[in-house]
Amino acid sequence: MSGKGLTVHAGLLPVLNVMGKLFFRKVIGEAVQKERGANAHYQFVDSVEMIVLGVIAGATSITQVVKVWADEVLRKMAGWDEVPVDTTIGRIMKLVDRGDIGELTGAIHRFRGWVWKRAVRSGQKLRSALSEVWIDVDSTVDGVYGNQEGAEVGYNPHKKGQKSYHPLMAFVGEGNVKTFMKTGGKIGISAEERIKSIRKAFIARHKTNEVF
């Protein structure tokens, strides 16, 4: 698509509106305080906003995120005269540490909670909203020192040979999270058992057996 005032990213305008109503920039800025100094043209929250919208537009890399923002109309909708190059965004994101990731995860849960409260207050029935439920199960590594109960030597990319736990994080679209702890050297409970446990907890929470 070409021509002045035309864009292939018009679908991002509702996303920008929702982000504004959620005070996205304020929440992210408070969650992760990474000020780059008065002379810096772009701050951490700028990069996060650009990446989030870029990914929603289909970008799978920082380079593609910048290509999305090359759209003049999109920049105007978001209030940007210009955007940084991919290397600048990359440098900014390298400032993020493990603690910041935890803070960002908490911010995501707050966003989800606000959206669901708004949906309920608007009169939408939770059952119809949850006709399809996506469960994302992922694991992380939590290294320990000494002989902690249940910890074993297993996969640990940070400190090879260190005893560790592998917490399994299960995320549901509404924002609920259930954690399963398994040792570092064993597979632990099966994926099927995890999903059954999550399903049971989810049904109990919403008092219906029709959400799955």
Side-chain angles (χ1 to χ4, degrees):
M1 181 180 292
S2 61
K4 188 175 180 61
L6 299 178
T7 178
V8 297
H9 298 303
L12 291 179
L13 180 56
V15 178
L16 282 166
N17 290 336
V18 171
M19 292 172 72
K21 292 178 180 178
L22 293 175
F23 300 100
F24 179 87
R25 293 179 60 86
K26 180 176 183 293
V27 172
I28 296 300
E30 291 177 349
V32 180
Q33 299 181 10
K34 296 287 186 182
E35 296 296 330
R36 300 185 64 227
N39 295 327
H41 291 291
Y42 305 100
Q43 297 296 334
F44 174 76
V45 66
D46 299 327
S47 294
V48 173
E49 181 182 53
M50 292 175 187
I51 290 172
V52 168
L53 286 163
V55 170
I56 292 174
T60 58
S61 67
I62 299 297
T63 300
Q64 291 181 8
V65 166
V66 174
K67 288 182 178 179
V68 169
W69 284 97
D71 188 308
E72 181 182 0
V73 176
L74 175 60
R75 293 200 306 272
K76 286 184 177 179
M77 289 192 301
W80 291 101
D81 293 326
E82 57 183 19
V83 295
V85 297
D86 54 352
T87 53
T88 298
I89 296 178
R91 284 198 302 272
I92 294 173
M93 297 311 296
K94 285 181 179 179
L95 298 174
V96 177
D97 57 31
R98 189 170 182 176
D100 296 328
I101 293 174
E103 293 297 331
L104 288 171
T105 301
I108 291 172
H109 293 326
R110 290 196 293 277
F111 288 140
R112 285 174 170 170
W114 292 337
V115 170
W116 278 93
K117 285 180 181 178
R118 186 181 181 87
V120 172
R121 289 172 181 172
S122 68
Q124 297 182 19
K125 292 185 178 179
L126 189 60
R127 183 178 302 177
S128 62
L130 295 177
S131 57
E132 291 185 358
V133 175
W134 292 84
I135 300 175
D136 181 17
V137 180
D138 199 1
S139 66
T140 184
V141 177
D142 185 13
V144 299
Y145 296 92
N147 297 314
Q148 303 294 329
E149 183 178 358
E152 295 182 4
V153 175
Y155 175 73
N156 189 331
H158 306 295
K159 289 189 177 182
K160 294 182 179 180
Q162 182 186 31
K163 290 185 177 181
S164 61
Y165 296 113
H166 278 186
L168 296 178
M169 312 298 290
F171 297 90
V172 180
E174 187 195 359
N176 298 312
V177 59
K178 188 176 182 65
T179 305
F180 300 87
M181 187 71 76
K182 71 177 182 181
T183 59
K186 298 179 180 179
I187 296 177
I189 62 176
S190 68
E192 182 179 1
E193 289 174 321
R194 288 179 226 139
I195 297 300
K196 285 181 178 179
S197 178
I198 298 167
R199 181 178 184 275
K200 182 178 179 181
F202 195 78
I203 290 175
R205 178 180 175 84
H206 297 290
K207 301 186 183 304
T208 174
N209 59 6
E210 298 180 12
V211 294
F212 279 80

